[in-house]
Amino acid sequence: MELFAVPDLPEIREGDDLAAMIDERVDLREDDVVVVASTVVSKAEGRTFDLSDFPAGPRANEVADRLAAISGEEKDPRFAQAVIEESTELIMEAPFLLTATRFGHIGVNAGIDRSNVPDGDLLLLPERPSESADRIREGLAADRVVVSDTCGRPFRHGQRGVAIGWAGLPASRDWRGERDRDGREMGVTVQNVIDELASAANLVAGEGAGGTPVVVVRDWAFGDHDGSDNHFREVEGDFVRQALRNWRYEGDGRNENH
């Protein structure tokens, strides 16, 4: 398996044809996986906004005031309004905003970015990342595309690459029913391959000013396994999410379940 960044991509602007820009810079193979950072997908799709596009309502003002009281730093209620509008649920409102996006991803601040946005204040995630992946795929010689983002995960320090959209491959491969090295039948292992591909690509893509937003994964095979497009956990089976709904951050240091 080999990973390499697509070189010399310029700053992406609204309306740019990402697939054509990738295709002219690298000779893709049909079985390559192309991992594209959500930032450039969002820029091409015109998901750049100013804070003035999100006049704050009462709830946004309340959220911003509470976060400011906790952190001791001023918080712009217009940013809180943008997060609210991009979310189906605020799972946690303090000490930070943990949200569910409209396409099912859970992360901080609805994944809204405030860095590397030369044409505005805010960069929102693609509205429908899997549809974005499919459109990019249509213009490439490669058959498989993953749209990635970086975010933190529970019980871990730091950020890592995760998949928020995909096309041309299943989200996961199912090892259940197969045998381990000792001949025992596996009963629970379902491997989320699009997250693993996104995370591997993020090591090559990098962060900050030196990042390269498109990475090609070559000589990786899904293998002879069953696959599925189960990626975002359903609310009914997401017990951590359910528990967080009943948890409240107390500014005096006491955290209580209600």
Side-chain angles (χ1 to χ4, degrees):
M1 176 171 154
E2 175 189 5
L3 294 93
F4 57 90
V6 174
D8 303 323
L9 283 168
E11 179 65 37
I12 303 300
R13 307 290 181 184
E14 183 176 357
D16 282 346
D17 187 337
L18 273 177
M21 297 171 79
I22 295 166
D23 199 54
E24 68 186 16
R25 286 168 171 80
V26 63
D27 292 324
L28 291 171
R29 301 176 185 172
E30 186 176 350
D31 62 349
D32 287 338
V33 182
V34 179
V35 182
V36 187
S38 63
T39 50
V40 293
V41 177
S42 292
K43 289 177 181 180
E45 294 181 353
R47 298 284 284 162
T48 301
F49 293 89
D50 293 323
L51 283 165
S52 59
D53 295 319
F54 297 95
R59 189 179 185 197
N61 280 295
E62 180 184 341
V63 167
D65 287 345
R66 186 175 186 207
L67 291 175
I70 291 169
S71 67
E73 300 175 356
E74 185 177 353
K75 299 295 181 181
D76 195 321
R78 297 172 298 175
F79 181 78
Q81 183 67 38
V83 173
I84 290 169
E85 292 186 22
E86 285 297 296
S87 306
T88 58
E89 180 183 5
L90 299 188
I91 300 168
M92 286 172 50
E93 295 186 16
F96 54 84
L97 296 177
L98 182 68
T99 70
T101 69
R102 300 191 181 281
F103 57 88
H105 176 61
I106 292 178
V108 175
N109 294 335
I112 297 175
D113 207 338
R114 302 186 74 169
S115 60
N116 293 319
V117 193
D119 299 324
D121 300 317
L122 308 174
L123 185 65
L124 279 54
L125 289 176
E127 288 188 271
R128 291 174 286 275
S130 287
E131 292 182 17
S132 303
D134 200 43
R135 284 193 296 270
I136 295 169
R137 174 179 172 242
E138 288 177 357
L140 297 176
D143 267 352
R144 302 178 289 182
V145 172
V146 172
V147 175
S148 67
D149 192 29
T150 53
C151 67
R153 294 287 84 189
F155 316 115
R156 297 286 191 273
H157 286 289
Q159 285 72 44
R160 73 239 347 108
V162 298
I164 61 171
W166 66 100
L169 76 165
S172 52
R173 55 185 176 190
D174 194 338
W175 294 81
R176 292 174 296 181
E178 300 189 35
R179 302 283 176 177
D180 67 13
R181 293 175 63 181
D182 297 317
R184 288 188 291 266
E185 183 176 312
M186 291 186 283
V188 296
T189 302
V190 178
Q191 183 181 18
N192 189 313
V193 295
I194 57 172
D195 266 354
E196 292 184 326
L197 290 166
S199 185
N202 197 57
L203 289 171
V204 177
E207 302 282 357
T212 46
V214 182
V215 171
V216 176
V217 182
R218 180 159 291 171
D219 294 330
W220 175 81
F222 186 87
D224 186 18
H225 307 275
D226 291 332
S228 79
D229 278 333
N230 294 329
H231 181 53
F232 302 115
R233 192 180 292 276
E234 296 291 339
V235 177
E236 294 76 14
D238 191 341
F239 302 118
V240 174
R241 180 170 173 176
Q242 292 175 31
L244 286 173
R245 285 173 166 175
N246 298 317
W247 180 86
R248 178 177 173 82
Y249 177 82
E250 301 294 342
D252 61 2
R254 292 175 300 161
N255 301 316
E256 299 177 358
N257 286 307
H258 298 274

